[in-house]
Amino acid sequence: MNDTTEPSLAKVPELTLGFWLIKIAATTLGETGGDAVTMSMNLGYLVGTAIFAVVFLVAVAAQVRARGFHPFLYWTTIIATTTVGTTLADFADRSLGIGYAGGSTLLLALLLGSLFLWHRTLGSVSVNTVSSPQAEAFYWLTIMFSQTLGTALGDWTADTAGLGYRGAAVVFGVLLALVVLAYYRTRVSRTLLFWAAFILTRPLGAVVGDFLDKPLNAGGLALSRYAASAVLLVFILGGIAVLRPKAARAWH
């Protein structure tokens, strides 16, 4: 006889304040870590993308094979999406020459396409349904596209739009605040608000990361990419250890 008293759990964490703080730190680490490999190590965008793509695929495979939610594995996979998103966006925008606007448009189309196929196939794009291998595959593909889009969008806002890193950080910070306000004051779909917030944290992290490690004459603080990445990683690991995130309840 099956025990039905235990709640079904998703393989993603509960959406708490701690989740969003760690997410922003992870997206910032993706920027500084990606730039450390492609720029500081002089490996270039193509090689950097290849390296992080392998890390991403291995992490996703481990996450899908896991029998339950494991915080350190989950956040390792998130960090893998942010680093490969950084190098992939930079490769598309700079090496392929399609520019920030072109890259952002292409990646937005891929992101929306992923969400459409996910909803068409499984009937929902809510994170509370991420408890099967198929749902996880869509979840991580969508996240990878959102992280890549965020990098291109952050660079476009800071550079092409001329707002600079601090100005762009303010813009995305305000947009996130509006999402939070909509969550508490409106009946807008919680799933829509989640993905809006999830996407917006990436360009915020991208511009904050650039602000930390770009040269002074480019509007940055000229901090070491290695040191900044190390501090962010310690913060993330400390946050996971202290907060001990739990799995979200799943529904089907």
Side-chain angles (χ1 to χ4, degrees), residues 117-182:
L117 288 176
W118 182 0
H119 191 276
R120 184 72 178 269
T121 303
L122 299 179
S124 174
V125 295
S126 170
V127 295
N128 290 330
T129 65
V130 182
S131 56
S132 69
Q134 190 175 26
E136 281 193 272
F138 278 117
Y139 177 77
W140 290 111
L141 181 65
T142 302
I143 284 180
M144 194 272 288
F145 284 144
S146 76
Q147 306 282 38
T148 310
L149 169 63
T151 299
L153 187 60
D155 288 342
W156 180 83
T157 305
D159 297 335
T160 306
L163 295 181
Y165 304 125
R166 283 174 288 189
V170 170
V171 168
F172 292 118
V174 169
L175 289 175
L176 275 172
L178 291 176
V179 172
V180 173
L181 183 63

Side-chain angles (χ1 to χ4, degrees), residues 24-25 27-29 31-32 35 154-155 158 164-170 172-173 200-214 219-221 223 228 232:
I24 293 172
T27 59
T28 308
L29 173 59
E31 190 71 20
T32 58
D35 287 349
D155 288 342
Y165 304 125
R166 283 174 288 189
V170 170
F172 292 118
L200 286 171
T201 56
R202 181 61 186 111
L204 176 61
V207 295
V208 171
D210 282 338
F211 175 67
L212 293 175
D213 63 32
K214 287 297 187 287
L221 295 179
L223 300 178
L232 289 164

Side-chain angles (χ1 to χ4, degrees), residues 106-116 142-143 145-146 149 199:
L106 173 62
L107 290 163
L108 178 60
L110 291 172
L111 173 62
L112 294 177
S114 178
L115 287 168
F116 173 79
T142 302
I143 284 180
F145 284 144
S146 76
L149 169 63
I199 293 167

